């Protein structure tokens, strides 16, 4: 009978037909019963949580052991990086090699660029006022993101490696095999023009080759991934995290010798030519000098 009455009350209960007194009574009853029900549920929850607690402790112990192993390996690579840095500094000093310093990088925040002419592009909040110019490479914490293709006074557009219009020369770090990294608006850009028998394997590290003279050599790009049709694509390092904060790397490409000599010669000619006002004053001085001499005679 109680079940039938409860079912009838549930079926015919409507919020509009509830009386104010009944609604207030039910709210007061809920306020009183909620703490008591919560107190009664505590022992049951504790018993139910014993199994997951011990399983979590086992998972935490395994994760802790894995993190300790990674820390040991990271310390080894850190020491190796310091030794390589000191060795490179000695080599650069002996060979008189001038390289771009890491401190010259320009940091900037990125935003999406839906109105730009390219599909995969980003807008950064730094421009020519900060020293950014077209063609500069853009990197994040993990690797190469793209390059600057349009620069304003206080902003610039970055063409990502995944865009259909992106083509940069790269190479396999292990074998120095050259290729062109071509974007096709997908997450994994393609490797093209590898040659007939390319020395490349799955998992090989791909870096920029610098053959075009626009990007520096050795910037980390990604990892080689084989495709079903026998081709190769690259899983980009920069995709490991959202592209929020990036660095723009100032890089001055090599200048063609003939063009450099022509620019130097034109600059020297412009420097040797006197200004129009100076020329006029010199001519006036030359004409006035004989008259002064005659007057003195």
């Amino acid at each position: 009978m109680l079940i039938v009455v409860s079912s009838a009350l549930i079926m015919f209960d409507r919020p509009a037909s509830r009386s104010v007194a009944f609604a207030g009574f039910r709210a007061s009853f809920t306020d009183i019963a909620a703490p008591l029900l919560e107190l009664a549920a505590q022992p049951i929850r504790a018993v139910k949580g014993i199994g997951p607690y011990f399983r979590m402790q086992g998972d935490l112990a395994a994760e802790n052991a894995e993190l300790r192993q990674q820390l040991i390996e990271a310390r080894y690579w850190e020491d190796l990086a310091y030794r390589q840095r000191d060795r490179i500094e000695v080599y650069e000093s002996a060979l008189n090699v001038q390289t771009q310093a890491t401190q010259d990088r320009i940091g900037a925040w990125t935003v999406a660029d839906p109105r730009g002419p390219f599909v995969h592009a980003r807008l950064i909040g730094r421009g020519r006022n900060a020293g950014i110019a077209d063609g500069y490479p853009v990197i994040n914490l993990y690797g190469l993101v793209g390059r600057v293709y349009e620069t304003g006074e206080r902003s610039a557009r970055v063409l990502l490696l995944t865009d259909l219009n992106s083509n940069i020369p790269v190479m396999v770090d292990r074998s120095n095999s050259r290729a062109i990294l071509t974007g096709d608006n997908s997450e994994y850009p393609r490797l093209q023009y590898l040659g007939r028998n390319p020395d490349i394997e799955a998992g090989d590290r791909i870096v920029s080759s610098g053959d075009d003279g626009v990007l520096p050599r050795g910037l980390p790009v990604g990892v080689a991934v084989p495709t079903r049709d026998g081709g190769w694509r690259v899983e980009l390092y920069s995709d490991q995290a959202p592209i929020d904060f990036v660095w723009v790397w100032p890089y001055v490409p090599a200048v063609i010798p003939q063009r450099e000599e022509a620019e130097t010669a034109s600059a020297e000619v412009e420097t040797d030519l006197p200004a129009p006002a100076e020329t006029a004053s010199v001519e006036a001085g030359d004409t006035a000098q004989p008259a002064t001499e005659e007057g003195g005679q």
Side-chain angles (χ1 to χ4, degrees), residues 181 187-191 206 221-225 232-237:
L181 183 68
E187 296 181 358
Y188 298 91
R190 293 178 298 171
L191 286 177
I206 306 298
V221 176
V223 177
V225 178
W232 292 91
R233 289 182 177 268
V234 175
E235 182 181 358
L236 300 177
Y237 288 139

Side-chain angles (χ1 to χ4, degrees), residues 75-94:
R75 288 175 178 173
Y76 165 76
W77 288 110
E78 183 181 9
D79 295 339
L80 181 61
Y82 282 134
R83 292 197 299 268
Q84 294 294 338
R85 183 197 62 181
D86 297 339
R87 183 180 301 176
I88 290 173
E89 289 179 355
V90 173
Y91 289 162
E92 290 180 352
S93 177

